[in-house]
Amino acid sequence: MTYEELIQRLDPTVYQNLRRAIELGKWPDGRKVTDEQRRTCLEAVIHYEQTHNIPEPDRVGYIERNNCGSGSSGKDDGPETIRIVS
C-alpha cells in the first residue's frame, strides 16, 4: 500500500486523533508525542486535508488574514486579524 492509498483510507476518527496529538503534544493514553512523531502526524494530517478537500478554514494551521492597509490609499489601517486554527 502506498502512502497516498493509506491517507485515502484513513478513518476520520484516526485523522481527528492525529490532529489532537499535534495540538496537545500527547497521545490519548497520555504519552508524550516526540518531535519526530509530531512531524509525521502533521505531514499525514496536511496530506489528508488536501486529499479529502477539507475547507481551508478548517485545516490545521490555517491563518485567516484580513488585508488591512492594502487599500488604494496606501495607509495602514491597523493590525491585520489573524486566526489560527489547530
Side-chain angles (χ1 to χ4, degrees):
M1 177 181 300
T2 67
Y3 185 75
E4 284 76 25
E5 290 172 332
L6 176 65
I7 296 298
Q8 276 287 350
R9 296 178 185 181
L10 191 65
D11 183 83
T13 302
V14 174
Y15 158 73
Q16 288 297 330
N17 286 336
L18 294 174
R19 276 188 68 139
R20 193 166 299 109
I22 294 166
E23 293 169 9
L24 301 177
K26 62 181 180 179
W27 295 109
D29 65 3
R31 289 179 295 135
K32 184 180 185 302
V33 174
T34 67
D35 289 341
E36 183 178 353
Q37 289 171 333
R38 183 172 282 187
R39 283 191 297 273
T40 302
C41 290
L42 188 54
E43 182 180 329
V45 165
I46 289 170
H47 199 83
Y48 178 94
E49 291 173 343
Q50 290 174 342
T51 302
H52 290 84
N53 297 316
I54 304 296
E56 282 191 23
D58 296 335
R59 293 182 184 184
V60 69
Y62 175 76
I63 299 176
E64 182 179 328
R65 296 180 186 259
N66 294 336
N67 293 326
C68 296
S70 64
S72 60
S73 69
K75 295 188 327 186
D76 184 5
D77 295 330
E80 60 183 295
T81 302
I82 298 176
R83 180 176 68 110
I84 299 177
V85 179
S86 54

